[in-house]
Amino acid sequence: MQTVLITGASSGIGKACARIFAESGARLILCARRAEQLQGVAQELNTPVHLVPLDVRDAAQVQALAHLPEAWAGVDVLINNAGLSRGLNKLPEGQIQDWEEMIDTNIKGLLYVTRALVPGMVARGRGHVVNIGSLAGHQTYPGGNVYCATKAAVRVLSEGLKQDLLGTPVRVTTVDPGLVETDFSQVRFRGDEERARQVYQGLTPLTPEDVAQVVHFCVSRPAHVNISEVLLMPTDQSGSTLVHRVPEGG
Ligand code: NDP
Ligand code: 8X3
């Protein structure tokens, strides 16, 4: 039975990954800050689950993942999904606290988790790291500045990790979606539901399940196949700023 560890499993893409890997017979280690939400996800899954409430920005908490209880040690698949955006300010008007939160979560958090778990994968001679990047890491959009930079960093770190693992059987994939309807925009706009709704208005966005299916496909390839990068978008999108929208009532 494969052991899959997912960060940001309390919501959205991470939660959808938990469901699809549970359905395919894996056992799961689920991480996020909100323990209650994690509990809710675990309750609906028909597979053994170990919950680790943690903040990926806290290096000491994350390092504890290198010392999981014996029954849960031996992570086969790491899905580095925890991430967020804050605000859409032009860079000269950006909030430094927002920058720090995005950089600390999306880059440093991903690094801490990777550092805690990948040495074990190398030692055991098996493993797969899937990083959730973004279309935003390929194409910057106005106001996206620091968020886009963090996702460009995820792309670069995925490439660098694969290079540094060459000669080991550990695989590395980055899955980079465009617009996916989750709590992402609510978090970005700090609970402004109307503004969040407008992000997906008039188009059919990706669902978290669409992304989870791609992650699962990458992980379930034969051991000699490493899918390096997948860029996926809704049919109604062809770039960060190129979106086809049907006006409401139209
Ligand atoms: P959600 O807001 O639904 O989920 C984000 C998840 O990340 C939550 O489970 C949250 O859990 C977790 N998280 C955030 N900060 C931390 C932290 N400091 N420590 C631990 N966990 C944390 O959004 P999505 O599902 O959309 O986002 C998942 C990933 O997908 C992110 O990396 C995002 O950048 C990326 N992405 C999203 C796209 C979209 O359009 N939605 C498109 C491209 C990429 P909790 O709050 O409980 O800690
Ligand atoms: C999230 C997608 O385009 O809102 O990475 O930045 S986008």
Side-chain angles (χ1 to χ4, degrees):
M1 198 179 211
Q2 269 197 326
T3 302
V4 179
L5 187 147
I6 305 169
T7 68
S10 60
S11 169
I13 295 168
K15 183 173 165 179
C17 286
R19 286 187 178 136
I20 199 166
F21 279 94
E23 280 161 17
S24 69
R27 60 189 206 139
L28 304 175
I29 303 171
L30 304 182
C31 308
R33 291 166 300 180
R34 290 170 296 169
E36 214 170 294
Q37 270 82 354
L38 278 183
Q39 198 75 51
V41 175
Q43 270 163 12
E44 67 169 71
L45 302 176
N46 195 16
T47 196
V49 178
H50 179 61
L51 301 183
V52 185
L54 60 72
D55 186 331
V56 295
R57 294 170 298 178
D58 184 325
Q61 276 185 24
V62 171
Q63 192 47 35
L65 293 177
H67 310 285
L68 287 162
E70 204 178 324
W72 287 95
V75 172
D76 299 297
V77 179
L78 161 62
I79 303 176
N80 270 320
N81 162 77
L84 82 180
S85 64
R86 287 296 197 192
L88 200 55
N89 293 330
K90 290 178 194 281
L91 200 144
E93 287 117 45
Q95 301 290 328
I96 287 173
Q97 198 187 327
D98 288 347
W99 297 350
E100 286 178 342
E101 194 174 356
M102 290 186 277
I103 291 167
D104 289 351
T105 308
N106 301 358
I107 305 179
K108 291 167 71 179
L110 177 142
L111 281 170
Y112 297 155
V113 178
T114 303
R115 181 68 182 86
L117 292 171
V118 171
M121 292 179 174
V122 173
R124 287 186 297 277
R126 63 172 199 277
H128 196 149
V129 179
V130 181
N131 292 331
I132 305 299
S134 173
L135 170 62
H138 298 255
Q139 299 174 14
T140 311
Y141 52 84
N145 47 68
V146 174
Y147 175 72
C148 297
T150 66
K151 290 300 181 177
V154 171
R155 191 162 51 79
V156 172
L157 290 170
S158 302
E159 189 181 3
L161 181 63
K162 180 69 182 81
Q163 290 172 354
D164 293 342
L165 290 172
L166 195 61
T168 80
V170 179
R171 297 185 283 175
V172 183
T173 300
T174 177
V175 172
D176 299 350
L179 289 163
V180 189
E181 190 162 11
T182 63
D183 290 346
F184 177 86
S185 295
Q186 297 239 17
V187 171
R188 164 169 262 172
F189 300 125
R190 297 186 184 278
D192 183 337
E193 288 186 18
E194 180 49 26
R195 209 168 164 201
R197 194 184 68 83
Q198 284 171 11
V199 174
Y200 313 105
Q201 194 176 347
L203 75 141
T204 305
L206 296 173
T207 65
E209 290 72 26
D210 294 327
V211 182
Q213 281 169 12
V214 170
V215 172
H216 186 263
F217 176 83
C218 293
V219 168
S220 56
R221 294 311 86 210
H224 69 285
V225 179
N226 188 110
I227 298 181
S228 306
E229 184 174 286
V230 180
L231 181 61
L232 69 151
M233 288 176 234
T235 306
D236 285 339
Q237 182 172 30
S238 63
S240 271
T241 56
L242 280 169
V243 178
H244 173 71
R245 294 181 198 269
V246 176
E248 261 181 337

